[in-house]
Amino acid sequence: MAAIIASRYAVEYPNITKELCGQTVSWLQQQRTEAVAKFAEQGFPTLHDEDWRYTNVSAIEKKLFTSALKIPTSQIDRNWLKSYQLKDAWSVVLIDGHFSSELSELGGLPEKVFVKSMANALETHPELLENYVNKAVNDNEHGFIAFNTAWFTDGLFVHVGAKQCLAKPIQVLHIVTQQDVLIATRTVIVLEQMAEAKIIETFVGMDGAYLSSTVSEVFVGQNADLTLYKTQFESEKAYHFSGSYVKQEQDARFTHHNYAFGGLLARSDIHTDLGQASECELNGLYLGIKRQHIDSHTRINHLKPHGISRELYKGVLDDRAKGVFQARVIVAEDAQKTDSQMNNRNLLLSSDAEADSKPQLEIYADDVKCGHGVTVGQLDDKSIFYLQSRCVDEETARNILTFAFANEMVDKIKIKELHDIVLEQVLSRFPQEGVNKEWL
Amino acid sequence: MLSIKNLHVSVGDKPILKGINLEIKAGEIHAIMGPNGSGKSTLSHILSGKAGYTVTEGSVTYQGKDLLEMAPEIRAREGVFLAFQYPVEIPGVSNIYLLKAALNSIRKHHGQSEVDAMDFLTLVKGKVRLLEMDEKFLYRAVNEGFSGGEKKRNEILQMAILEPKLCILDETDSGLDIDALKIVSEGVNSLRSSERSFVMVTHYQRLLDYIKPDFVHVLAKGQIVKSGGAELALELEEKGYSWLEDNQAAA
């Protein structure tokens, strides 16, 4: 008797396997076979899954997006691309899930650093990658992971050798140019001990509906330091899933900045496991307008003593938009002296906008300092009056205060070029009458 | 400059001000004193246009115009400045941003072009020195994490830069130590001119040792029960407010 197949995508799978990378890599082939079987059984997550109770992705199943074919690089509008691509950075450009060497910029990388497309790395370093692929996350987590393992066409592999400090950031641009397609990519980032890097994941799409999904597995070695930026500006009809699953060794520092502005339905997972005395800082800003649904899911797993975690997510929601913040901090029995602080603040600009916030602390150790706080509110009348009494009209006061609320998170970006791109995106999403960005 | 006639103000159904009459000419300094709950803060709020109050009777005329008809920002652009009792913290908006936005709003209101960036900095830095503030304050978020004294000083800094015609100081004295009070008072005194009037709302007489008023009015239970010169403040310090309230009750 044939097993019940939970997803129509699984039925299509045999037709697309020839497009996938790593065909000669046997361990990957085996992982893919297992993943597609698992995905066929469970499909995408549903509202019955606790971690997905606020986010309904059933539309992805209904749409039945088709796999994107490779298109010639000449069809890409270079000026459009340039508005998102940093000049002073190494960059990897993925067009519809396929690496483009012409658009990427990887000249002058130091010797002990490699930055390659996943497809290429699987050809040149399959044994090395075996240590990392599906090691920071596994297919049982939820359907998007198994889906990604089976479907990924390409992606990025970054390996920074011990004590290497990158002089420039690395940017990976996930560009979608086609409609009604599905994109799946896999990223592996490895920082060996004492290494330092800044990496930016940018998601941009032309108009239209599509599914863009990516899974990043991140390994931060002992006393290494990684800052990961995610800037998500998908098209307003897009479905987006991206997950970063991080393993921090002893004394490792990991900072994540999550700017989620695009997509009709967008979900991000940031999960990190902290080793002894390691630190993580998770910052997020989600902006929702019209009917956008933006879900941020974080999990901070303190496994060893003396870990520090700081989390601040802010949301601005207008029209009928919905923001979801689900965050869990788990402090293992062994993780004494953990210091953890989690905060979520939401600004609702319309009576139809909605914020669902669910912070959770699970503490199994007895000598820890953990706190969390959530606010959901409108613009403060006292602040509006104060600005009015300083000559600013009410509408401008509202605009300024909205930007000020969001700007706290934009200001955390230490890369000037990136800061300006993100600020521009914030400004373009809300009325900016009377707001002067030079002064922000 | 300002003419308040038979002003009655309620919050909900509760009358707070019950027939205030006050004439303030250009260049004068008026102190409004009175016990807690007498309606002092309501008077400063109603002049600056804060929402939540209903004027049931009377009028307020400012430079020949109906003040109560104007939106708060129009009053501010016309030269009415309220130094808040509790200045509001505005994270994400720097002091210098607010000062520039305010100054340019005033200039635009009067048909002038935006202030030149260099002139603006020179102006602001001069006033910062006057109030013995650190220039770093300019780049910090408005009032965020400021001490009580720093907040009050910041209010006076804004006043010094915006050069209003009618300055309303709401309980500027409270929460200040003597050194901060001296600095704030010097800041206010430096702004005194024949063109500019002040209304100082205060519970404490101490402020008037440093900023000498031309007139002192005592507000009790929503009415001005006594007016006089600077010497009235001293009398109040000696006798308290109760003798005036008793007089009012007897009358």
Side-chain angles (χ1 to χ4, degrees), chain A residues 385-386 388-391 439, chain B residues 73 77 82 97 102 155 158:
Chain A
F385 176 66
Y386 189 76
Q388 283 183 285
S389 77
R390 299 298 176 259
C391 311
W439 305 348
Chain B
E73 65 270 20
R77 292 171 195 169
L82 171 66
Y97 181 116
E155 295 290 286
Q158 294 172 2

Side-chain angles (χ1 to χ4, degrees), chain B residues 199-249:
Chain B
V199 177
M200 295 191 295
V201 172
T202 182
H203 183 74
Y204 303 106
Q205 184 271 337
R206 184 181 66 158
L207 179 68
L208 309 182
D209 291 343
Y210 296 94
I211 307 169
K212 194 169 176 294
D214 301 305
F215 302 95
V216 175
H217 310 278
V218 182
L219 197 61
K221 294 176 183 161
Q223 288 181 317
I224 291 175
V225 294
K226 194 168 176 65
S227 295
E231 70 288 349
L232 177 58
L234 297 170
E235 201 178 340
L236 285 168
E237 187 177 38
E238 214 173 285
K239 296 190 190 167
Y241 290 112
S242 54
W243 61 285
L244 288 167
E245 290 182 282
D246 294 345
N247 282 359
Q248 190 189 21

Side-chain angles (χ1 to χ4, degrees), chain A residues 296-322:
Chain A
S296 308
H297 188 275
T298 68
R299 190 186 299 159
I300 298 171
N301 216 348
H302 285 275
L303 298 169
K304 298 282 179 192
H306 295 288
I308 300 175
S309 60
R310 292 287 177 269
E311 177 165 16
L312 173 60
Y313 266 68
K314 290 176 102 172
V316 183
L317 302 161
D318 200 354
D319 307 322
R320 306 181 66 83
K322 185 168 165 178

Side-chain angles (χ1 to χ4, degrees), chain B residues 8 20 22 31 36 50 53 62 64 67 69 71 86 99 126 139 150 155 158-159 172 174 188 206 208-209 225 242 248:
Chain B
H8 290 253
I20 301 284
L22 192 60
N36 290 329
K50 191 174 180 183
Y53 299 94
Y62 167 71
L67 186 71
E69 281 293 296
Y86 303 111
L99 288 167
Y139 301 97
E150 286 167 345
E155 295 290 286
Q158 294 172 2
M159 194 167 92
T172 296
S174 51
V188 172
R206 184 181 66 158
L208 309 182
D209 291 343
V225 294
S242 54
Q248 190 189 21

Side-chain angles (χ1 to χ4, degrees), chain A residues 286-302:
Chain A
Y286 44 95
L287 305 181
I289 54 174
K290 298 178 186 170
R291 302 187 74 97
Q292 283 183 284
H293 177 113
I294 301 183
D295 177 351
S296 308
H297 188 275
T298 68
R299 190 186 299 159
I300 298 171
N301 216 348
H302 285 275

Side-chain angles (χ1 to χ4, degrees), chain A residues 380 382-394 400-401 403-405 407-408 434-440, chain B residues 48-50 72-73 76-77 81-82 84 88 90-94 97-98 100-102 104-106 142-143 155 158:
Chain A
D380 175 34
K382 283 199 201 88
S383 304
I384 293 171
F385 176 66
Y386 189 76
L387 291 177
Q388 283 183 285
S389 77
R390 299 298 176 259
C391 311
V392 177
D393 66 82
E394 184 179 342
I400 289 176
L401 291 170
F403 278 105
F405 182 87
N407 197 42
E408 182 188 359
V435 177
N436 188 326
K437 70 180 176 190
E438 274 85 50
W439 305 348
L440 283 171
Chain B
S48 58
K50 191 174 180 183
E73 65 270 20
R77 292 171 195 169
F81 183 93
L82 171 66
F84 282 58
V88 181
I90 308 191
V93 178
S94 69
Y97 181 116
L98 177 59
K100 200 166 182 179
N104 278 330
S105 298
I106 294 174
V142 177
N143 294 321
E155 295 290 286
Q158 294 172 2

Side-chain angles (χ1 to χ4, degrees), chain A residues 8 18 29 71 77 124 155 198 248 279 313 319 411:
Chain A
R8 295 191 290 162
K18 61 182 187 302
Q29 290 308 312
I71 62 152
D77 178 346
T124 59
K198 293 181 173 58
Q248 295 180 244
E279 295 177 22
Y313 266 68
D319 307 322
D411 257 353

Side-chain angles (χ1 to χ4, degrees), chain A residues 213 234 303 367:
Chain A
S213 67
E234 302 279 16
L303 298 169
D367 183 13

